[in-house]
Amino acid sequence: MNNPEDEITLNYSFTKKEIGLLAKFLRLKETEIPHGLENFAKTIENSVYDCMTLEEVKKFYS
């Protein structure tokens, strides 16, 4: 269990472009994502899926 003293809160509002760039980068580097960043990567990917249709997502990642 994480110690609350070890947690840091970071407030940052990503632009749609930033989310897209991060999502593509993380997809390209998915085998290199350090342990512990899996939830971050999944959150970024989910944000892409939440704002696009399935066809748009397929085009986005191709």
Side-chain angles (χ1 to χ4, degrees):
M1 183 170 224
N2 288 343
N3 182 346
E5 293 177 15
D6 293 337
E7 295 182 17
I8 297 173
T9 299
L10 173 66
N11 294 313
Y12 183 86
S13 296
F14 292 93
T15 65
K16 189 173 181 177
K17 183 176 181 177
E18 289 171 329
I19 291 289
L21 290 169
L22 273 170
K24 284 184 179 182
F25 177 79
L26 292 170
R27 175 64 67 96
L28 288 172
K29 302 291 186 176
E30 65 187 336
T31 60
E32 301 172 43
I33 295 173
H35 178 69
L37 290 180
E38 300 90 354
N39 287 340
F40 175 74
K42 186 67 176 165
T43 300
I44 295 294
E45 185 173 45
N46 287 343
S47 68
V48 168
Y49 290 133
D50 288 345
C51 70
M52 293 182 184
T53 66
L54 185 56
E55 280 301 313
E56 289 173 324
V57 170
K58 287 179 183 178
K59 185 177 178 181
F60 178 77
Y61 281 122
S62 60

